[in-house]
mmCIF file of all heavy atoms in Angstrom:
data_model
loop_
_atom_site.group_PDB
_atom_site.id
_atom_site.type_symbol
_atom_site.label_atom_id
_atom_site.label_comp_id
_atom_site.label_asym_id
_atom_site.label_seq_id
_atom_site.Cartn_x
_atom_site.Cartn_y
_atom_site.Cartn_z
ATOM 1 N N HIS A 138 -11.713 19.551 -0.288
ATOM 2 C CA HIS A 138 -10.418 19.974 -0.786
ATOM 3 C C HIS A 138 -10.156 21.477 -0.916
ATOM 4 O O HIS A 138 -9.106 21.997 -1.176
ATOM 5 C CB HIS A 138 -10.159 19.354 -2.171
ATOM 6 C CG HIS A 138 -10.187 17.844 -2.127
ATOM 7 N ND1 HIS A 138 -8.986 17.128 -1.911
ATOM 8 C CD2 HIS A 138 -11.186 16.997 -2.351
ATOM 9 C CE1 HIS A 138 -9.251 15.808 -2.043
ATOM 10 N NE2 HIS A 138 -10.541 15.721 -2.231
ATOM 11 N N SER A 139 -11.156 22.230 -0.381
ATOM 12 C CA SER A 139 -11.093 23.656 -0.384
ATOM 13 C C SER A 139 -10.386 24.140 0.928
ATOM 14 O O SER A 139 -10.464 23.568 1.998
ATOM 15 C CB SER A 139 -12.486 24.269 -0.493
ATOM 16 O OG SER A 139 -12.488 25.663 -0.158
ATOM 17 N N SER A 140 -9.654 25.265 0.843
ATOM 18 C CA SER A 140 -9.048 25.734 2.014
ATOM 19 C C SER A 140 -9.968 26.301 2.996
ATOM 20 O O SER A 140 -9.710 26.362 4.171
ATOM 21 C CB SER A 140 -8.128 26.964 1.552
ATOM 22 O OG SER A 140 -8.829 28.043 0.979
ATOM 23 N N GLU A 141 -11.307 26.494 2.570
ATOM 24 C CA GLU A 141 -12.324 26.921 3.551
ATOM 25 C C GLU A 141 -12.719 25.816 4.529
ATOM 26 O O GLU A 141 -13.355 26.045 5.489
ATOM 27 C CB GLU A 141 -13.594 27.435 2.777
ATOM 28 C CG GLU A 141 -13.467 28.817 2.159
ATOM 29 C CD GLU A 141 -12.605 28.832 0.979
ATOM 30 O OE1 GLU A 141 -12.493 27.830 0.249
ATOM 31 O OE2 GLU A 141 -11.916 29.932 0.830
ATOM 32 N N ALA A 142 -12.342 24.558 4.181
ATOM 33 C CA ALA A 142 -12.658 23.498 5.021
ATOM 34 C C ALA A 142 -11.803 23.410 6.356
ATOM 35 O O ALA A 142 -12.059 22.781 7.297
ATOM 36 C CB ALA A 142 -12.503 22.125 4.307
ATOM 37 N N TRP A 143 -10.710 24.221 6.246
ATOM 38 C CA TRP A 143 -9.794 24.257 7.438
ATOM 39 C C TRP A 143 -9.827 25.697 8.060
ATOM 40 O O TRP A 143 -9.987 26.730 7.475
ATOM 41 C CB TRP A 143 -8.327 24.082 6.867
ATOM 42 C CG TRP A 143 -8.195 22.731 6.249
ATOM 43 C CD1 TRP A 143 -8.369 22.411 5.003
ATOM 44 C CD2 TRP A 143 -7.548 21.621 6.867
ATOM 45 N NE1 TRP A 143 -8.025 21.088 4.764
ATOM 46 C CE2 TRP A 143 -7.478 20.592 5.901
ATOM 47 C CE3 TRP A 143 -7.157 21.302 8.185
ATOM 48 C CZ2 TRP A 143 -7.075 19.335 6.214
ATOM 49 C CZ3 TRP A 143 -6.585 20.114 8.437
ATOM 50 C CH2 TRP A 143 -6.526 19.087 7.431
ATOM 51 N N THR A 144 -9.649 25.659 9.424
ATOM 52 C CA THR A 144 -9.723 26.911 10.141
ATOM 53 C C THR A 144 -8.629 26.853 11.218
ATOM 54 O O THR A 144 -8.229 25.743 11.665
ATOM 55 C CB THR A 144 -11.089 27.143 10.872
ATOM 56 O OG1 THR A 144 -11.386 26.015 11.711
ATOM 57 C CG2 THR A 144 -12.138 27.312 9.892
ATOM 58 N N LEU A 145 -8.050 28.116 11.652
ATOM 59 C CA LEU A 145 -7.170 28.178 12.713
ATOM 60 C C LEU A 145 -7.855 28.961 13.881
ATOM 61 O O LEU A 145 -8.551 29.904 13.667
ATOM 62 C CB LEU A 145 -5.962 28.981 12.265
ATOM 63 C CG LEU A 145 -4.828 28.174 11.650
ATOM 64 C CD1 LEU A 145 -3.807 29.143 11.151
ATOM 65 C CD2 LEU A 145 -4.228 27.206 12.628
ATOM 66 N N GLN A 146 -7.596 28.412 15.131
ATOM 67 C CA GLN A 146 -8.031 29.156 16.310
ATOM 68 C C GLN A 146 -7.453 30.534 16.424
ATOM 69 O O GLN A 146 -6.179 30.631 16.328
ATOM 70 C CB GLN A 146 -7.645 28.220 17.574
ATOM 71 C CG GLN A 146 -7.680 29.010 18.852
ATOM 72 C CD GLN A 146 -9.047 29.621 19.148
ATOM 73 O OE1 GLN A 146 -10.111 28.987 18.865
ATOM 74 N NE2 GLN A 146 -9.092 30.770 19.751
ATOM 75 N N GLN A 147 -8.224 31.549 16.391
ATOM 76 C CA GLN A 147 -7.623 32.904 16.492
ATOM 77 C C GLN A 147 -7.454 33.320 17.969
ATOM 78 O O GLN A 147 -8.319 33.881 18.650
ATOM 79 C CB GLN A 147 -8.609 33.870 15.818
ATOM 80 C CG GLN A 147 -8.782 33.510 14.364
ATOM 81 C CD GLN A 147 -7.460 33.595 13.525
ATOM 82 O OE1 GLN A 147 -6.695 34.612 13.595
ATOM 83 N NE2 GLN A 147 -7.232 32.574 12.758
ATOM 84 N N LYS A 148 -6.373 32.946 18.555
ATOM 85 C CA LYS A 148 -6.001 33.182 19.961
ATOM 86 C C LYS A 148 -4.810 34.033 19.975
ATOM 87 O O LYS A 148 -3.655 33.708 19.770
ATOM 88 C CB LYS A 148 -5.632 31.829 20.673
ATOM 89 C CG LYS A 148 -5.379 32.026 22.163
ATOM 90 C CD LYS A 148 -6.595 32.354 22.905
ATOM 91 C CE LYS A 148 -6.373 32.626 24.337
ATOM 92 N NZ LYS A 148 -5.541 33.797 24.568
ATOM 93 N N THR A 149 -4.980 35.360 20.308
ATOM 94 C CA THR A 149 -3.897 36.326 20.152
ATOM 95 C C THR A 149 -3.638 37.116 21.395
ATOM 96 O O THR A 149 -2.733 37.899 21.396
ATOM 97 C CB THR A 149 -4.237 37.383 19.027
ATOM 98 O OG1 THR A 149 -5.547 37.944 19.382
ATOM 99 C CG2 THR A 149 -4.425 36.708 17.664
ATOM 100 N N THR A 150 -4.443 37.027 22.455
ATOM 101 C CA THR A 150 -4.222 37.744 23.671
ATOM 102 C C THR A 150 -3.630 36.950 24.874
ATOM 103 O O THR A 150 -3.979 35.701 24.870
ATOM 104 C CB THR A 150 -5.482 38.471 24.104
ATOM 105 O OG1 THR A 150 -6.492 37.478 24.332
ATOM 106 C CG2 THR A 150 -5.951 39.442 23.075
ATOM 107 N N ALA A 151 -2.955 37.471 25.710
ATOM 108 C CA ALA A 151 -2.396 36.837 26.846
ATOM 109 C C ALA A 151 -3.510 36.548 27.966
ATOM 110 O O ALA A 151 -4.493 37.300 27.952
ATOM 111 C CB ALA A 151 -1.271 37.670 27.510
ATOM 112 N N PRO A 152 -3.322 35.521 28.737
ATOM 113 C CA PRO A 152 -2.202 34.582 28.625
ATOM 114 C C PRO A 152 -2.428 33.492 27.595
ATOM 115 O O PRO A 152 -3.518 33.028 27.374
ATOM 116 C CB PRO A 152 -2.193 33.949 30.101
ATOM 117 C CG PRO A 152 -3.714 34.019 30.540
ATOM 118 C CD PRO A 152 -4.171 35.364 29.855
ATOM 119 N N ILE A 153 -1.353 33.114 26.967
ATOM 120 C CA ILE A 153 -1.410 32.128 25.883
ATOM 121 C C ILE A 153 -1.261 30.715 26.533
ATOM 122 O O ILE A 153 -0.471 30.405 27.365
ATOM 123 C CB ILE A 153 -0.325 32.315 24.846
ATOM 124 C CG1 ILE A 153 -0.482 33.722 24.288
ATOM 125 C CG2 ILE A 153 -0.334 31.222 23.747
ATOM 126 C CD1 ILE A 153 -1.669 33.982 23.397
ATOM 127 N N ILE A 154 -2.083 29.745 26.076
ATOM 128 C CA ILE A 154 -1.991 28.365 26.380
ATOM 129 C C ILE A 154 -1.072 27.827 25.397
ATOM 130 O O ILE A 154 -1.375 27.757 24.157
ATOM 131 C CB ILE A 154 -3.355 27.654 26.429
ATOM 132 C CG1 ILE A 154 -4.181 28.188 27.600
ATOM 133 C CG2 ILE A 154 -3.042 26.112 26.582
ATOM 134 C CD1 ILE A 154 -5.442 27.584 27.810
ATOM 135 N N SER A 155 0.142 27.390 25.795
ATOM 136 C CA SER A 155 1.161 27.033 24.921
ATOM 137 C C SER A 155 0.776 25.859 24.052
ATOM 138 O O SER A 155 -0.053 24.931 24.469
ATOM 139 C CB SER A 155 2.501 26.729 25.690
ATOM 140 O OG SER A 155 2.903 27.832 26.427
ATOM 141 N N ARG A 156 1.499 25.664 22.878
ATOM 142 C CA ARG A 156 1.381 24.494 22.109
ATOM 143 C C ARG A 156 2.305 23.447 22.547
ATOM 144 O O ARG A 156 3.460 23.636 22.667
ATOM 145 C CB ARG A 156 1.660 24.906 20.605
ATOM 146 C CG ARG A 156 1.690 23.720 19.634
ATOM 147 C CD ARG A 156 1.946 24.146 18.212
ATOM 148 N NE ARG A 156 2.927 25.113 18.160
ATOM 149 C CZ ARG A 156 4.283 24.832 18.191
ATOM 150 N NH1 ARG A 156 4.615 23.612 18.330
ATOM 151 N NH2 ARG A 156 5.115 25.855 18.138
ATOM 152 N N LEU A 157 1.750 22.306 22.947
ATOM 153 C CA LEU A 157 2.656 21.176 23.513
ATOM 154 C C LEU A 157 2.646 20.024 22.513
ATOM 155 O O LEU A 157 1.739 19.909 21.657
ATOM 156 C CB LEU A 157 1.963 20.788 24.848
ATOM 157 C CG LEU A 157 1.798 21.837 25.943
ATOM 158 C CD1 LEU A 157 1.078 21.199 27.119
ATOM 159 C CD2 LEU A 157 3.160 22.321 26.387
ATOM 160 N N SER A 158 3.561 19.146 22.712
ATOM 161 C CA SER A 158 3.611 17.859 21.891
ATOM 162 C C SER A 158 3.993 16.774 22.818
ATOM 163 O O SER A 158 4.468 16.977 23.964
ATOM 164 C CB SER A 158 4.628 18.017 20.800
ATOM 165 O OG SER A 158 5.920 18.277 21.201
ATOM 166 N N HIS A 159 3.937 15.549 22.358
ATOM 167 C CA HIS A 159 4.302 14.335 23.106
ATOM 168 C C HIS A 159 3.464 14.175 24.366
ATOM 169 O O HIS A 159 3.776 13.423 25.313
ATOM 170 C CB HIS A 159 5.770 14.353 23.504
ATOM 171 C CG HIS A 159 6.755 14.231 22.300
ATOM 172 N ND1 HIS A 159 6.962 15.407 21.469
ATOM 173 C CD2 HIS A 159 7.403 13.242 21.775
ATOM 174 C CE1 HIS A 159 7.817 14.945 20.584
ATOM 175 N NE2 HIS A 159 8.050 13.692 20.673
ATOM 176 N N GLY A 160 2.219 14.813 24.468
ATOM 177 C CA GLY A 160 1.421 14.664 25.559
ATOM 178 C C GLY A 160 0.476 13.475 25.275
ATOM 179 O O GLY A 160 0.430 12.778 24.326
#
Side-chain angles (χ1 to χ4, degrees):
H138 295 273
S139 167
S140 62
E141 282 72 33
W143 298 83
T144 55
L145 272 175
Q146 161 63 36
Q147 300 299 309
K148 181 74 183 67
T149 58
T150 58
I153 299 295
I154 294 179
S155 300
R156 173 178 44 80
L157 303 171
S158 65
H159 295 78

